[in-house]
Amino acid sequence: MKIPLSAIDLMTQTVIDNDELKNQIFTLENYLTILLEYQRITNLSTDFRFETVSVNEISKKIVKKIQ
């Protein structure tokens, strides 16, 4: 992630090429997404919460919401 950030920083100090800036931002966003996905995968305990629910009640709420 440091390379795209350094490239963006350098571009702000010189003439900015919008296409290259967009490319660097896209690359940075992809690296951040990968990092966040990795963090999520390594800590699966925060992704799930199991509880007993009434399917009938949930179905009624969904039907009311979409009508």
Side-chain angles (χ1 to χ4, degrees):
M1 288 190 300
K2 290 180 87 174
I3 293 171
L5 279 175
S6 296
I8 292 168
D9 183 46
L10 183 62
M11 281 187 248
T12 62
Q13 296 172 19
T14 60
V15 177
I16 297 176
D17 177 8
N18 283 338
D19 290 335
E20 184 57 30
L21 182 60
K22 287 178 184 178
N23 185 36
Q24 292 299 329
I25 291 171
F26 177 77
T27 302
L28 183 59
E29 286 175 343
N30 285 334
Y31 285 140
L32 287 171
T33 300
I34 291 168
L35 176 65
L36 292 172
E37 288 294 321
Y38 174 76
Q39 287 295 97
R40 188 183 64 80
I41 288 170
T42 59
N43 193 4
L44 288 176
S45 63
T46 60
D47 275 357
F48 303 107
R49 186 181 79 217
F50 297 100
E51 60 184 77
T52 304
V53 295
S54 167
V55 175
N56 187 30
E57 288 298 314
I58 292 175
S59 300
K60 286 179 183 179
K61 288 180 183 179
I62 292 171
V63 169
K64 283 182 182 180
K65 187 174 185 173
I66 61 175
Q67 285 184 343

